[in-house]
């Protein structure tokens, strides 16, 4: 098992609340029952006396058992401005917290290492949605089906492996979970990668436009490309030469 630290779940906040003691309610109920058994309830006057007596018992007991002030923790719901994104973030981090707890119970070092990777991928996906809430619809199946299914699968794995069963069916089931984790990691990586498709396309387009513009302005060698430039600069094979048109990158050695 690993001790990698991951977020434990949705953020929480503390607040104080007043909690009523149940004693006044029980006492008032008992007094009402006793009154009904011993005294008549045949007229409005009897009913009024019954109500006054019950209320008096309640108030008296409430004086001796006052409300208690306690501090409670409650989850802070995300607020991205996108209701769907907020729901996916809240539910996703609850599941992530549960997966972390399950992982702590798994003794297989290979499986627990894979779950660590899954946790990090999930957190990265949720962080991306928090950054760009408009992409929430892109992870609908991930949030509503894939992630909950992984949680259920791991819960069953821990339950079954903890019973010490050695039958062929049990061992085959445990092995199927371990094998499935490889595919789950591939799917989660692709899900994360898909959330950056637009940005990756923008970067590639900007690089191509910049390269073509520099070549057209005569600021680069004809054979220059952005890829060779990165390698050349790293190896210090290009030097800058001022010209009338500007600065030209040429091979230094």
């Amino acid at each position: 098992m690993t001790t990698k630290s991951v977020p434990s779940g949705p953020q929480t906040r503390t607040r104080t609340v007043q909690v009523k003691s149940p004693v006044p309610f029980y006492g008032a109920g008992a007094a009402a029952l006793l009154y009904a058994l011993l005294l008549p309830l045949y007229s409005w006057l009897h009913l009024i006396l019954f109500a006054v007596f019950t209320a008096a018992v309640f108030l008296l007991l409430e004086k001796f058992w006052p409300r208690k002030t306690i501090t409670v923790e409650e989850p802070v719901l995300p607020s991205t401005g996108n209701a769907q994104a907020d729901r996916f973030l809240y539910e996703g981090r609850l599941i992530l917290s549960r997966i972390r707890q399950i992982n702590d119970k798994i003794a297989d070092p290979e499986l627990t290492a894979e779950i660590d990777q899954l946790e990090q991928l999930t957190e990265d996906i949720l962080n991306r949605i928090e950054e760009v809430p408009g992409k929430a619809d892109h992870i609908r199946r991930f949030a509503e089906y894939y992630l909950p299914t992984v949680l259920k699968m791991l819960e069953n794995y821990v339950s079954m492996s903890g019973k010490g069963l050695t039958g062929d069916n049990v061992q085959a089931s445990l092995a199927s979970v371990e094998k499935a984790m490889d595919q789950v990691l591939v799917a989660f990586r692709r899900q994360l990668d898909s959330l950056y498709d637009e940005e990756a396309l923008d970067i590639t387009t900007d690089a191509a436009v910049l390269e073509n513009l520099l070549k057209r302005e005569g600021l680069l060698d004809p054979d220059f490309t952005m890829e060779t430039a990165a390698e050349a600069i790293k190896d210090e094979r290009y030097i800058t030469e001022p010209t009338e048109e500007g600065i030209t990158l040429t091979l230094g050695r």
Side-chain angles (χ1 to χ4, degrees):
M1 292 182 288
T2 64
T3 57
K4 181 179 178 182
S5 176
V6 296
S8 59
Q11 294 181 344
T12 60
R13 63 185 175 191
T14 59
R15 67 185 182 93
T16 57
V17 295
Q18 289 189 332
V19 180
K20 291 183 178 180
S21 171
V23 173
F25 295 95
Y26 294 148
L33 178 61
L34 183 63
Y35 187 100
L37 291 174
L38 299 179
L39 299 174
L41 292 172
Y42 303 139
S43 66
W44 283 106
L45 178 60
H46 294 153
L47 292 175
I48 292 174
L49 291 175
F50 169 79
V52 171
F53 175 73
T54 304
V57 171
F58 177 86
L59 294 175
L60 180 64
L61 292 176
E62 192 174 42
K63 182 178 180 180
F64 288 98
W65 281 274
R67 299 181 182 185
K68 294 182 179 180
T69 300
I70 62 173
T71 301
V72 297
E73 283 194 355
E74 59 184 11
V76 178
L77 297 177
S79 181
T80 64
N82 182 308
Q84 181 175 244
D86 291 347
R87 179 168 65 88
F88 288 166
L89 289 171
Y90 179 72
E91 294 176 355
R93 285 179 174 141
L94 281 178
I95 293 177
L96 185 58
S97 174
R98 178 59 183 152
I99 289 176
R100 175 69 265 171
Q101 295 171 0
I102 291 174
N103 196 15
D104 290 339
K105 301 177 182 178
I106 295 177
D108 186 326
E110 293 184 5
L111 180 58
T112 198
E114 288 183 323
I115 298 176
D116 281 341
Q117 295 180 50
L118 180 138
E119 292 168 5
Q120 187 58 59
L121 287 168
T122 300
E123 185 64 27
D124 290 343
I125 290 170
L126 297 177
N127 286 341
R128 181 59 176 165
I129 296 303
E130 193 166 22
E131 293 173 359
V132 190
K135 291 182 177 287
D137 197 53
H138 296 188
I139 68 164
R140 178 186 295 275
R141 290 187 65 82
F142 169 84
E144 296 182 343
Y145 180 74
Y146 300 141
L147 194 57
T149 300
V150 169
L151 172 60
K152 181 179 178 182
M153 180 179 70
L154 293 177
E155 286 177 334
N156 290 336
Y157 179 93
V158 169
S159 175
M160 192 172 296
S161 61
K163 294 177 180 178
L165 302 176
T166 58
D168 292 340
N169 289 337
V170 172
Q171 294 305 313
S173 297
L174 297 179
S176 68
V177 172
E178 296 166 1
K179 182 178 179 180
M181 283 302 300
D182 294 333
Q183 301 303 318
V184 169
L185 288 176
V186 171
F188 277 37
R189 290 190 186 99
R190 289 177 178 172
Q191 176 69 83
L192 177 61
D193 190 57
S194 70
L195 296 177
Y196 288 88
D197 282 348
E198 296 176 3
E199 288 73 10
L201 178 61
D202 289 343
I203 292 174
T204 302
T205 302
D206 290 343
V209 170
L210 177 61
E211 180 181 331
N212 291 331
L213 179 61
L214 292 173
K215 284 182 177 179
R216 188 169 60 192
E217 295 295 327
L219 299 177
L220 300 178
D221 291 339
D223 297 331
F224 180 89
T225 66
M226 299 302 282
E227 290 80 5
T228 58
E231 296 178 0
I233 292 174
K234 182 178 180 181
D235 296 338
E236 298 181 350
R237 290 188 287 114
Y238 272 94
I239 61 174
T240 57
E241 293 182 350
T243 65
E244 293 181 358
E245 293 79 9
I247 296 177
T248 301
L249 292 177
T250 58
L251 283 171
R253 50 187 172 92

